[in-house]
Coordinates of all heavy atoms in Angstrom, one line a residue:
M1 N 30.5 -20.6 34.6 CA 30.7 -19.5 33.7 C 31.5 -18.4 34.5 O 31.2 -18.1 35.6 CB 29.3 -18.9 33.3 CG 29.4 -17.8 32.3 SD 27.8 -17.1 31.9 CE 27.2 -18.2 30.7
K2 N 32.6 -18.0 33.8 CA 33.4 -17.0 34.5 C 32.7 -15.6 34.5 O 31.8 -15.4 33.7 CB 34.7 -16.7 33.6 CG 35.7 -17.9 33.7 CD 36.7 -17.9 32.7 CE 38.0 -17.3 33.0 NZ 39.0 -17.3 32.0
A3 N 33.1 -14.7 35.5 CA 32.4 -13.5 35.7 C 32.4 -12.6 34.4 O 31.5 -12.0 34.0 CB 33.1 -12.7 36.8
S4 N 33.6 -12.6 33.7 CA 33.7 -11.8 32.5 C 32.8 -12.4 31.4 O 32.2 -11.6 30.6 CB 35.2 -11.8 32.0 OG 35.6 -13.1 31.7
N5 N 32.7 -13.7 31.3 CA 31.8 -14.3 30.3 C 30.3 -14.0 30.7 O 29.5 -13.7 29.8 CB 31.9 -15.8 30.2 CG 33.2 -16.2 29.6 OD1 33.9 -15.4 28.9 ND2 33.6 -17.4 29.7
R6 N 30.0 -14.0 31.9 CA 28.7 -13.7 32.4 C 28.3 -12.2 32.1 O 27.2 -12.0 31.6 CB 28.6 -13.9 33.9 CG 27.1 -14.0 34.4 CD 27.0 -14.4 35.8 NE 27.7 -15.6 36.2 CZ 28.6 -15.6 37.2 NH1 28.8 -14.6 38.0 NH2 29.3 -16.7 37.5
R7 N 29.3 -11.3 32.3 CA 29.0 -9.9 32.0 C 28.8 -9.7 30.5 O 27.9 -9.1 30.0 CB 30.2 -9.1 32.4 CG 29.9 -8.2 33.6 CD 31.1 -7.3 34.0 NE 31.9 -8.1 34.9 CZ 33.2 -8.2 34.9 NH1 33.8 -7.5 34.1 NH2 33.8 -8.9 35.8
A8 N 29.6 -10.4 29.6 CA 29.5 -10.3 28.2 C 28.1 -10.9 27.8 O 27.4 -10.3 26.9 CB 30.6 -11.1 27.5
F9 N 27.7 -12.0 28.4 CA 26.4 -12.6 28.0 C 25.3 -11.6 28.4 O 24.4 -11.4 27.6 CB 26.3 -13.9 28.8 CG 24.9 -14.5 28.7 CD1 24.6 -15.2 27.5 CD2 24.0 -14.4 29.7 CE1 23.3 -15.8 27.4 CE2 22.7 -15.0 29.6 CZ 22.4 -15.6 28.4
M10 N 25.4 -11.0 29.6 CA 24.3 -10.1 30.0 C 24.2 -8.9 29.1 O 23.2 -8.4 28.8 CB 24.5 -9.7 31.5 CG 24.4 -10.8 32.5 SD 22.7 -11.6 32.4 CE 21.7 -10.3 33.1
F11 N 25.4 -8.4 28.8 CA 25.5 -7.2 27.9 C 24.9 -7.5 26.5 O 24.0 -6.8 26.0 CB 26.9 -6.8 27.7 CG 27.1 -5.6 26.8 CD1 26.8 -4.3 27.2 CD2 27.5 -5.8 25.5 CE1 26.9 -3.2 26.4 CE2 27.7 -4.6 24.6 CZ 27.3 -3.4 25.1
T12 N 25.2 -8.7 26.0 CA 24.6 -9.1 24.7 C 23.1 -9.2 24.8 O 22.4 -8.8 23.9 CB 25.2 -10.5 24.3 OG1 26.7 -10.4 24.2 CG2 24.7 -10.9 22.9
M13 N 22.6 -9.8 25.9 CA 21.2 -9.9 26.0 C 20.5 -8.6 26.1 O 19.4 -8.4 25.5 CB 20.8 -10.8 27.3 CG 21.3 -12.2 27.2 SD 20.7 -13.1 25.7 CE 19.0 -13.3 26.1
M14 N 21.1 -7.7 26.8 CA 20.5 -6.3 27.0 C 20.4 -5.6 25.7 O 19.5 -5.0 25.3 CB 21.2 -5.5 28.1 CG 20.9 -6.0 29.4 SD 21.8 -5.2 30.8 CE 22.8 -4.0 30.1
V15 N 21.6 -5.6 25.0 CA 21.7 -4.9 23.7 C 20.7 -5.5 22.7 O 20.0 -4.9 22.0 CB 23.1 -4.9 23.2 CG1 23.1 -4.3 21.8 CG2 24.0 -4.0 24.1
G16 N 20.7 -6.9 22.6 CA 19.9 -7.6 21.7 C 18.4 -7.3 22.0 O 17.6 -7.1 21.1
G17 N 18.0 -7.3 23.3 CA 16.6 -7.0 23.6 C 16.3 -5.6 23.3 O 15.2 -5.3 22.8
G18 N 17.2 -4.6 23.4 CA 16.9 -3.2 23.1 C 16.8 -3.0 21.6 O 15.9 -2.4 21.1
V19 N 17.6 -3.7 20.8 CA 17.5 -3.7 19.3 C 16.1 -4.2 18.9 O 15.4 -3.7 18.1 CB 18.6 -4.4 18.7 CG1 18.4 -4.5 17.2 CG2 19.9 -3.6 18.9
L20 N 15.8 -5.4 19.5 CA 14.5 -6.0 19.1 C 13.3 -5.1 19.5 O 12.4 -4.9 18.7 CB 14.3 -7.3 19.9 CG 13.1 -8.1 19.5 CD1 13.1 -8.5 18.1 CD2 13.1 -9.4 20.4
A21 N 13.3 -4.5 20.7 CA 12.2 -3.6 21.1 C 12.2 -2.4 20.2 O 11.1 -1.9 19.8 CB 12.4 -3.2 22.5
A22 N 13.4 -1.9 19.8 CA 13.4 -0.7 19.0 C 12.8 -1.0 17.5 O 12.1 -0.2 17.0 CB 14.8 -0.1 18.8
S23 N 13.2 -2.2 17.0 CA 12.7 -2.5 15.7 C 11.2 -2.8 15.7 O 10.5 -2.4 14.8 CB 13.4 -3.8 15.2 OG 13.1 -4.9 15.9
R24 N 10.7 -3.3 16.8 CA 9.2 -3.5 16.9 C 8.5 -2.1 17.0 O 7.5 -1.9 16.4 CB 8.9 -4.3 18.1 CG 9.2 -5.8 17.9 CD 8.7 -6.6 19.1 NE 9.0 -8.0 18.9 CZ 9.2 -8.9 19.9 NH1 9.2 -8.4 21.1 NH2 9.5 -10.1 19.6
A25 N 9.1 -1.2 17.8 CA 8.5 0.1 18.0 C 8.5 0.9 16.6 O 7.6 1.7 16.4 CB 9.2 0.9 19.0
S26 N 9.5 0.7 15.9 CA 9.6 1.5 14.6 C 8.9 0.8 13.4 O 8.9 1.3 12.3 CB 11.0 1.8 14.2 OG 11.7 0.6 13.9
G27 N 8.4 -0.4 13.7 CA 7.7 -1.1 12.6 C 6.5 -0.3 12.0 O 5.7 0.3 12.8
Q28 N 6.5 -0.2 10.7 CA 5.4 0.6 10.1 C 4.2 -0.2 9.9 O 4.2 -1.3 9.4 CB 5.9 1.2 8.8 CG 7.1 2.2 8.9 CD 7.5 2.7 7.6 OE1 7.1 2.3 6.6 NE2 8.3 3.8 7.7
S29 N 3.1 0.4 10.2 CA 1.8 -0.3 10.0 C 1.4 0.1 8.5 O 1.8 1.1 8.0 CB 0.7 0.2 10.9 OG 0.6 1.6 10.9
P30 N 0.6 -0.8 7.9 CA 0.3 -0.5 6.5 C -0.6 0.7 6.4 O -1.3 1.1 7.3 CB -0.6 -1.8 6.1 CG -0.8 -2.5 7.4 CD 0.1 -2.0 8.5
A31 N -0.5 1.3 5.2 CA -1.3 2.5 5.0 C -2.8 2.2 5.0 O -3.2 1.1 4.8 CB -0.9 3.1 3.6
P32 N -3.6 3.2 5.4 CA -5.1 3.0 5.4 C -5.6 2.6 4.0 O -5.0 3.0 3.0 CB -5.7 4.3 5.9 CG -4.6 5.3 5.7 CD -3.3 4.6 5.7
V33 N -6.7 1.9 3.9 CA -7.3 1.6 2.7 C -8.3 2.6 2.2 O -9.1 3.1 3.0 CB -8.0 0.2 2.9 CG1 -8.7 -0.2 1.6 CG2 -7.0 -0.9 3.3
A34 N -8.1 3.0 0.9 CA -9.0 3.9 0.3 C -10.4 3.3 0.0 O -10.4 2.1 -0.3 CB -8.4 4.5 -1.0
T35 N -11.4 3.9 0.3 CA -12.8 3.4 0.1 C -13.4 4.3 -1.1 O -12.9 5.4 -1.3 CB -13.7 3.5 1.3 OG1 -14.0 4.9 1.6 CG2 -13.1 2.8 2.5
E36 N -14.4 3.8 -1.7 CA -15.0 4.5 -2.8 C -15.7 5.7 -2.3 O -16.0 6.6 -3.1 CB -16.0 3.5 -3.5 CG -15.3 2.4 -4.2 CD -16.3 1.4 -4.8 OE1 -17.6 1.6 -4.7 OE2 -15.9 0.4 -5.4
T37 N -16.0 5.8 -1.0 CA -16.7 7.0 -0.5 C -15.8 8.0 0.1 O -16.2 9.1 0.5 CB -17.7 6.5 0.6 OG1 -17.1 5.8 1.6 CG2 -18.8 5.7 0.0
D38 N -14.4 7.7 0.2 CA -13.5 8.8 0.6 C -13.7 10.0 -0.4 O -13.8 9.7 -1.6 CB -12.1 8.3 0.5 CG -11.7 7.3 1.5 OD1 -12.4 7.1 2.5 OD2 -10.6 6.7 1.4
P39 N -13.7 11.2 0.2 CA -14.0 12.3 -0.7 C -13.1 12.4 -1.9 O -13.6 12.6 -3.1 CB -13.8 13.5 0.2 CG -14.1 13.0 1.6 CD -13.6 11.5 1.6
Q40 N -11.8 12.2 -1.8 CA -10.9 12.3 -2.9 C -11.1 11.2 -3.9 O -11.2 11.4 -5.1 CB -9.5 12.3 -2.4 CG -8.4 12.8 -3.4 CD -7.1 12.8 -2.9 OE1 -6.8 12.5 -1.7 NE2 -6.1 13.3 -3.7
A41 N -11.3 9.9 -3.4 CA -11.6 8.8 -4.2 C -12.9 8.9 -4.9 O -12.9 8.6 -6.1 CB -11.5 7.5 -3.3
S42 N -13.9 9.4 -4.2 CA -15.2 9.5 -4.8 C -15.1 10.6 -6.0 O -15.7 10.4 -7.0 CB -16.2 10.0 -3.7 OG -17.4 10.2 -4.3
A43 N -14.4 11.7 -5.8 CA -14.3 12.7 -6.7 C -13.7 12.2 -8.0 O -13.9 12.7 -9.1 CB -13.5 13.9 -6.2
L44 N -12.8 11.1 -7.9 CA -12.1 10.6 -9.1 C -12.8 9.3 -9.6 O -12.4 8.7 -10.5 CB -10.7 10.2 -8.7 CG -9.7 11.3 -8.4 CD1 -8.4 10.8 -7.8 CD2 -9.5 12.2 -9.6
G45 N -14.0 9.1 -9.0 CA -14.8 7.9 -9.5 C -14.2 6.6 -9.2 O -14.3 5.6 -9.9
Y46 N -13.3 6.5 -8.1 CA -12.6 5.3 -7.8 C -13.6 4.1 -7.5 O -14.6 4.3 -6.8 CB -11.8 5.5 -6.5 CG -11.1 4.2 -6.0 CD1 -10.1 3.5 -6.7 CD2 -11.5 3.8 -4.7 CE1 -9.6 2.4 -6.2 CE2 -10.9 2.6 -4.2 CZ -9.9 1.9 -5.0 OH -9.4 0.8 -4.5
K47 N -13.3 3.0 -8.1 CA -14.0 1.7 -7.9 C -13.0 0.7 -7.5 O -11.9 0.6 -8.1 CB -14.7 1.3 -9.2 CG -15.9 2.1 -9.5 CD -17.1 1.8 -8.6 CE -18.3 2.5 -8.9 NZ -19.4 2.4 -7.9
T48 N -13.3 -0.1 -6.4 CA -12.3 -1.2 -6.0 C -12.3 -2.3 -7.0 O -11.3 -3.0 -7.1 CB -12.7 -1.7 -4.6 OG1 -14.1 -2.2 -4.7 CG2 -12.6 -0.7 -3.6
D49 N -13.3 -2.4 -7.8 CA -13.4 -3.4 -8.9 C -13.7 -2.6 -10.2 O -14.7 -2.1 -10.5 CB -14.6 -4.3 -8.6 CG -14.7 -5.4 -9.7 OD1 -14.1 -5.3 -10.7 OD2 -15.5 -6.4 -9.4
G50 N -12.6 -2.6 -11.0 CA -12.7 -1.8 -12.3 C -13.8 -2.3 -13.2 O -14.2 -1.5 -14.0
S51 N -14.2 -3.5 -13.0 CA -15.3 -4.0 -13.9 C -16.6 -3.4 -13.5 O -17.6 -3.6 -14.3 CB -15.4 -5.6 -13.9 OG -15.8 -6.0 -12.7
K52 N -16.7 -2.7 -12.4 CA -18.0 -2.1 -12.0 C -18.1 -0.6 -12.3 O -19.0 0.0 -11.9 CB -18.1 -2.3 -10.5 CG -18.0 -3.8 -10.0 CD -19.4 -4.3 -9.9 CE -19.4 -5.8 -9.6 NZ -18.8 -6.4 -8.5
V53 N -17.2 -0.1 -13.1 CA -17.2 1.3 -13.5 C -18.4 1.5 -14.4 O -18.6 0.7 -15.3 CB -15.9 1.6 -14.3 CG1 -16.0 3.1 -14.8 CG2 -14.7 1.5 -13.3
D54 N -19.2 2.5 -14.2 CA -20.3 2.9 -15.0 C -19.8 3.5 -16.3 O -19.3 4.6 -16.4 CB -21.2 3.9 -14.2 CG -22.4 4.3 -15.0 OD1 -22.6 3.9 -16.1 OD2 -23.2 5.1 -14.4
P55 N -20.0 2.7 -17.4 CA -19.6 3.2 -18.7 C -20.3 4.5 -19.2 O -19.7 5.3 -20.0 CB -19.9 2.1 -19.7 CG -20.9 1.2 -19.0 CD -20.7 1.5 -17.6
A56 N -21.5 4.7 -18.7 CA -22.2 6.0 -19.1 C -21.6 7.2 -18.5 O -21.5 8.3 -19.1 CB -23.7 5.8 -18.7
R57 N -21.2 7.0 -17.3 CA -20.5 8.1 -16.5 C -19.1 8.3 -16.9 O -18.6 9.4 -16.8 CB -20.7 7.8 -15.0 CG -20.4 9.0 -14.2 CD -20.9 8.9 -12.7 NE -20.5 10.0 -12.0 CZ -20.5 10.1 -10.7 NH1 -20.9 9.1 -10.0 NH2 -20.1 11.2 -10.1
Y58 N -18.4 7.2 -17.2 CA -17.0 7.3 -17.5 C -16.7 6.5 -18.8 O -16.1 5.4 -18.8 CB -16.1 6.6 -16.3 CG -16.3 7.3 -15.0 CD1 -17.1 6.7 -14.0 CD2 -15.8 8.5 -14.7 CE1 -17.3 7.3 -12.8 CE2 -16.0 9.1 -13.5 CZ -16.8 8.5 -12.5 OH -17.0 9.1 -11.3
P59 N -17.1 7.2 -19.9 CA -16.9 6.5 -21.2 C -15.4 6.3 -21.6 O -15.1 5.5 -22.4 CB -17.6 7.5 -22.2 CG -17.6 8.8 -21.5 CD -17.7 8.5 -20.0
Q60 N -14.5 7.0 -20.9 CA -13.1 6.8 -21.2 C -12.5 5.6 -20.6 O -11.4 5.1 -21.0 CB -12.3 8.0 -20.7 CG -12.1 8.1 -19.2 CD -13.2 8.8 -18.4 OE1 -14.3 8.7 -18.7 NE2 -12.8 9.5 -17.4
H61 N -13.3 4.9 -19.7 CA -12.7 3.7 -19.1 C -12.6 2.6 -20.1 O -13.6 2.3 -20.9 CB -13.6 3.3 -17.9 CG -13.2 2.0 -17.3 ND1 -14.0 0.8 -17.5 CD2 -12.2 1.7 -16.6 CE1 -13.4 -0.2 -16.9 NE2 -12.3 0.3 -16.3
Q62 N -11.5 1.8 -20.0 CA -11.4 0.6 -20.8 C -11.1 -0.5 -19.8 O -10.4 -0.3 -18.8 CB -10.2 0.8 -21.8 CG -10.5 1.8 -22.8 CD -9.2 2.1 -23.7 OE1 -8.3 1.3 -23.7 NE2 -9.2 3.3 -24.4
A63 N -11.5 -1.7 -20.2 CA -11.5 -2.9 -19.3 C -10.0 -3.2 -18.8 O -9.8 -3.6 -17.7 CB -12.0 -4.1 -20.0
A64 N -9.0 -2.9 -19.7 CA -7.7 -3.3 -19.4 C -7.0 -2.3 -18.4 O -5.9 -2.5 -17.9 CB -6.8 -3.3 -20.6
Q65 N -7.7 -1.2 -18.1 CA -7.2 -0.1 -17.3 C -7.5 -0.5 -15.8 O -8.7 -0.3 -15.4 CB -7.8 1.2 -17.6 CG -7.4 1.8 -19.0 CD -8.1 3.1 -19.3 OE1 -9.0 3.5 -18.6 NE2 -7.6 3.7 -20.3
V66 N -6.6 -1.0 -15.1 CA -6.7 -1.2 -13.6 C -5.6 -0.6 -12.9 O -4.5 -0.3 -13.5 CB -6.9 -2.8 -13.4 CG1 -8.2 -3.3 -13.9 CG2 -5.6 -3.5 -13.9
C67 N -5.7 -0.5 -11.6 CA -4.7 0.2 -10.8 C -3.3 -0.5 -11.0 O -2.3 0.2 -11.0 CB -5.0 0.2 -9.4 SG -6.5 1.2 -9.0
H68 N -3.2 -1.8 -11.2 CA -2.0 -2.5 -11.4 C -1.1 -1.8 -12.5 O 0.1 -1.7 -12.4 CB -2.1 -3.9 -11.8 CG -2.4 -4.8 -10.7 ND1 -3.2 -6.0 -10.8 CD2 -2.0 -4.9 -9.4 CE1 -3.2 -6.6 -9.7 NE2 -2.5 -5.9 -8.8
G69 N -1.8 -1.3 -13.5 CA -1.1 -0.8 -14.7 C -1.0 0.7 -14.6 O -0.6 1.4 -15.7
C70 N -1.3 1.3 -13.5 CA -1.4 2.8 -13.4 C 0.0 3.3 -12.8 O 0.6 2.7 -11.9 CB -2.5 3.2 -12.5 SG -2.6 5.0 -12.2
T71 N 0.4 4.4 -13.4 CA 1.7 5.0 -12.9 C 1.7 5.4 -11.4 O 2.7 5.5 -10.8 CB 2.1 6.2 -13.8 OG1 3.5 6.5 -13.5 CG2 1.2 7.4 -13.5
F72 N 0.5 5.6 -10.8 CA 0.4 6.0 -9.4 C 0.4 4.9 -8.5 O 0.4 5.1 -7.3 CB -0.8 6.9 -9.3 CG -0.8 8.2 -10.1 CD1 -1.7 8.3 -11.2 CD2 0.1 9.2 -9.9 CE1 -1.6 9.5 -12.0 CE2 0.2 10.3 -10.7 CZ -0.7 10.5 -11.7
F73 N 0.2 3.6 -9.0 CA 0.2 2.4 -8.1 C 1.6 2.1 -7.7 O 2.5 1.9 -8.5 CB -0.4 1.3 -8.9 CG -0.8 0.0 -8.2 CD1 -1.9 0.0 -7.3 CD2 0.1 -1.1 -8.3 CE1 -2.2 -1.2 -6.6 CE2 -0.3 -2.2 -7.6 CZ -1.4 -2.3 -6.7
Q74 N 1.8 2.0 -6.4 CA 3.1 1.9 -5.8 C 3.5 0.4 -5.5 O 4.4 0.2 -4.7 CB 3.3 2.7 -4.6 CG 3.2 4.2 -4.9 CD 4.2 4.7 -5.9 OE1 5.4 4.7 -5.5 NE2 3.8 5.0 -7.1
G75 N 2.7 -0.5 -6.0 CA 3.0 -1.9 -5.7 C 3.5 -2.7 -6.9 O 3.8 -2.1 -7.9
K76 N 3.7 -4.0 -6.6 CA 4.2 -4.9 -7.7 C 3.0 -5.3 -8.5 O 1.8 -5.2 -8.0 CB 4.9 -6.1 -7.1 CG 6.2 -5.8 -6.4 CD 6.8 -7.1 -5.8 CE 7.2 -6.9 -4.4 NZ 6.6 -7.7 -3.4
P77 N 3.2 -5.7 -9.7 CA 2.1 -6.1 -10.6 C 1.1 -7.1 -10.0 O -0.1 -7.1 -10.4 CB 2.7 -6.6 -11.9 CG 4.1 -6.0 -11.9 CD 4.5 -5.8 -10.4
D78 N 1.5 -8.0 -9.1 CA 0.6 -9.0 -8.5 C 0.1 -8.6 -7.1 O -0.5 -9.5 -6.5 CB 1.3 -10.3 -8.6 CG 2.6 -10.4 -7.8 OD1 3.1 -9.3 -7.5 OD2 3.2 -11.5 -7.6
D79 N 0.4 -7.5 -6.6 CA 0.0 -7.1 -5.3 C -1.6 -6.8 -5.4 O -2.0 -6.1 -6.2 CB 0.7 -5.7 -4.8 CG 2.1 -6.0 -4.4 OD1 2.4 -7.2 -4.1 OD2 2.8 -5.0 -4.2
A80 N -2.3 -7.4 -4.4 CA -3.7 -7.2 -4.3 C -4.1 -5.7 -4.0 O -5.0 -5.2 -4.5 CB -4.3 -8.1 -3.3
M81 N -3.2 -5.2 -3.1 CA -3.4 -3.8 -2.7 C -2.1 -3.1 -2.6 O -1.1 -3.8 -2.4 CB -4.0 -3.7 -1.3 CG -5.3 -4.5 -1.1 SD -6.8 -3.6 -1.5 CE -6.8 -2.1 -0.5
A82 N -2.0 -1.8 -2.9 CA -0.8 -1.0 -2.7 C -1.2 0.4 -2.6 O -2.3 0.8 -3.1 CB 0.1 -1.3 -3.9
P83 N -0.3 1.2 -2.1 CA -0.6 2.7 -1.9 C -0.7 3.3 -3.3 O 0.0 3.0 -4.3 CB 0.7 3.2 -1.2 CG 1.3 2.0 -0.5 CD 1.0 0.8 -1.4
C84 N -1.5 4.3 -3.4 CA -1.7 5.2 -4.6 C -1.2 6.6 -4.3 O -1.7 7.2 -3.3 CB -3.2 5.2 -5.0 SG -3.5 6.4 -6.2
L85 N -0.3 7.0 -5.1 CA 0.3 8.4 -4.9 C -0.8 9.4 -4.9 O -0.8 10.5 -4.3 CB 1.3 8.7 -5.9 CG 2.6 7.9 -5.7 CD1 3.6 8.3 -6.8 CD2 3.3 8.2 -4.4
L86 N -1.8 9.2 -5.8 CA -2.8 10.3 -6.1 C -3.9 10.3 -4.9 O -4.5 11.3 -4.7 CB -3.5 10.0 -7.4 CG -3.9 11.3 -8.1 CD1 -2.6 12.0 -8.5 CD2 -4.6 10.9 -9.4
L87 N -4.0 9.2 -4.2 CA -5.0 9.2 -3.1 C -4.2 9.3 -1.8 O -4.6 8.6 -0.8 CB -5.8 7.9 -3.2 CG -6.7 7.8 -4.4 CD1 -7.6 6.6 -4.3 CD2 -7.6 9.1 -4.5
G88 N -3.2 10.1 -1.7 CA -2.6 10.3 -0.4 C -1.8 9.1 0.2 O -1.6 9.1 1.4
G89 N -1.5 8.2 -0.7 CA -0.7 7.0 -0.2 C -1.6 6.0 0.4 O -1.2 4.9 0.9
K90 N -2.9 6.2 0.3 CA -3.9 5.1 0.8 C -3.8 3.9 -0.1 O -3.5 4.1 -1.3 CB -5.3 5.6 0.9 CG -5.5 6.6 2.0 CD -7.0 7.0 2.1 CE -7.3 7.8 3.3 NZ -8.7 8.2 3.4
Q91 N -4.1 2.8 0.4 CA -4.0 1.5 -0.4 C -5.2 1.4 -1.3 O -6.4 1.6 -0.9 CB -3.9 0.3 0.5 CG -2.7 0.3 1.3 CD -2.3 -1.1 1.8 OE1 -2.1 -2.0 0.9 NE2 -2.2 -1.2 3.0
V92 N -5.0 1.1 -2.5 CA -6.1 0.8 -3.5 C -6.0 -0.6 -4.0 O -4.9 -1.2 -3.9 CB -6.0 1.8 -4.7 CG1 -6.3 3.3 -4.2 CG2 -4.7 1.7 -5.4
A93 N -7.1 -1.1 -4.6 CA -7.1 -2.4 -5.0 C -6.4 -2.5 -6.4 O -6.6 -1.6 -7.3 CB -8.6 -2.9 -5.2
G94 N -5.6 -3.6 -6.6 CA -4.9 -3.8 -7.8 C -5.8 -3.8 -9.0 O -5.5 -3.4 -10.1
Q95 N -7.1 -4.3 -8.8 CA -8.1 -4.4 -9.8 C -9.0 -3.2 -9.9 O -10.1 -3.2 -10.6 CB -8.9 -5.6 -9.7 CG -8.1 -7.0 -9.9 CD -7.5 -7.0 -11.3 OE1 -8.2 -6.8 -12.3 NE2 -6.3 -7.4 -11.4
G96 N -8.7 -2.2 -9.1 CA -9.5 -1.0 -9.1 C -9.3 0.0 -10.3 O -8.5 -0.4 -11.2
W97 N -9.9 1.1 -10.2 CA -9.8 2.1 -11.3 C -10.3 3.4 -10.8 O -11.2 3.4 -10.0 CB -10.6 1.7 -12.5 CG -10.5 2.7 -13.7 CD1 -9.6 2.7 -14.7 CD2 -11.4 3.7 -14.0 NE1 -9.8 3.7 -15.5 CE2 -10.9 4.4 -15.1 CE3 -12.5 4.3 -13.3 CZ2 -11.6 5.5 -15.7 CZ3 -13.1 5.4 -13.9 CH2 -12.7 6.0 -15.1
C98 N -9.8 4.5 -11.4 CA -10.3 5.8 -11.2 C -10.0 6.6 -12.5 O -9.2 6.2 -13.3 CB -9.8 6.5 -9.9 SG -8.3 7.4 -10.1
M99 N -10.7 7.8 -12.6 CA -10.5 8.5 -13.8 C -9.2 9.2 -14.0 O -8.9 9.7 -15.1 CB -11.7 9.6 -13.9 CG -11.6 10.6 -12.8 SD -13.0 11.7 -12.7 CE -12.8 12.7 -14.2
A100 N -8.3 9.1 -13.0 CA -6.9 9.6 -13.2 C -6.0 8.6 -13.7 O -4.8 8.8 -13.8 CB -6.5 10.2 -11.8
W101 N -6.5 7.4 -14.0 CA -5.6 6.3 -14.5 C -4.7 6.8 -15.6 O -5.1 7.5 -16.5 CB -6.5 5.2 -15.0 CG -5.6 4.0 -15.4 CD1 -5.3 2.9 -14.5 CD2 -5.0 3.6 -16.6 NE1 -4.5 2.0 -15.3 CE2 -4.3 2.4 -16.5 CE3 -5.0 4.3 -17.9 CZ2 -3.7 1.9 -17.5 CZ3 -4.3 3.7 -18.9 CH2 -3.6 2.5 -18.7
A102 N -3.4 6.5 -15.4 CA -2.4 6.9 -16.4 C -1.5 5.7 -16.5 O -0.9 5.1 -15.6 CB -1.6 8.1 -15.9
K103 N -1.3 5.3 -17.8 CA -0.5 4.1 -18.1 C 0.9 4.2 -17.5 O 1.6 5.1 -17.7 CB -0.4 3.8 -19.5 CG 0.3 2.5 -19.9 CD 0.2 2.2 -21.4 CE 0.9 0.9 -21.6 NZ 0.7 0.4 -22.9
K104 N 1.3 3.1 -16.7 CA 2.6 3.0 -16.2 C 3.6 2.9 -17.3 O 3.4 2.2 -18.2 CB 2.7 1.7 -15.2 CG 3.9 1.7 -14.4 CD 3.8 0.5 -13.4 CE 2.9 0.8 -12.3 NZ 3.2 0.2 -11.0
A105 N 4.7 3.6 -17.1 CA 5.8 3.6 -18.2 C 6.5 2.3 -18.3 O 6.6 1.6 -17.3 CB 6.8 4.7 -17.9
Ligands
LIG201 FE1 -5.8 3.4 -9.2 FE2 -4.3 5.0 -10.6 FE3 -6.6 5.9 -9.8 FE4 -4.7 5.5 -8.0 S1 -4.7 7.0 -9.7 S2 -6.8 4.8 -7.8 S3 -3.7 3.7 -8.9 S4 -6.2 4.2 -11.3

């Protein structure tokens, strides 16, 4: 290997390694998961399983209302979990529900 080729190879390896390290360092970890006992979630009656909503306490709840179909759900329709804008970006269950449910447009 010629000296200039060796230098180019070493430069490529150093830059490539730096880019890889930088991309790993900036990798975003997933948002924390909302629990039913989080103060904000609890205040909204959040349930991770919409079928467990107490109808006596939340008579407005309908079975078809789940986080997947809520305007505040930031995931795709088949995502099991996704951030909720109303719960500070914490992840909520796609099959969850809370009293702030609003039909996605
Ligand atoms: Fe689910 Fe919508 Fe309530 Fe967020 S605001 S927890 S997406 S029903």
Side-chain angles (χ1 to χ4, degrees):
M1 185 180 281
K2 287 165 97 179
S4 60
N5 286 347
R6 194 175 311 128
R7 250 182 273 139
F9 173 76
M10 293 303 289
F11 179 76
T12 302
M13 295 305 289
M14 286 178 359
V15 171
V19 169
L20 183 60
S23 69
R24 284 185 181 152
S26 68
Q28 294 184 344
S29 54
V33 174
T35 66
E36 294 175 0
T37 56
D38 286 349
Q40 195 174 4
S42 176
L44 291 172
Y46 172 66
K47 288 285 184 192
T48 57
D49 181 349
S51 69
K52 303 267 170 56
V53 173
D54 179 358
R57 191 163 180 200
Y58 301 105
Q60 75 272 36
H61 174 254
Q62 295 172 16
Q65 296 177 346
V66 291
C67 293
H68 277 148
C70 176
T71 194
F72 300 111
F73 189 75
Q74 297 300 292
K76 294 181 226 117
D78 57 348
D79 284 344
M81 306 275 302
C84 168
L85 289 178
L86 218 60
L87 296 184
K90 286 186 175 179
Q91 296 202 59
V92 296
Q95 292 300 314
W97 180 87
C98 86
M99 63 189 290
W101 186 90
K103 186 175 181 173
K104 193 176 280 210

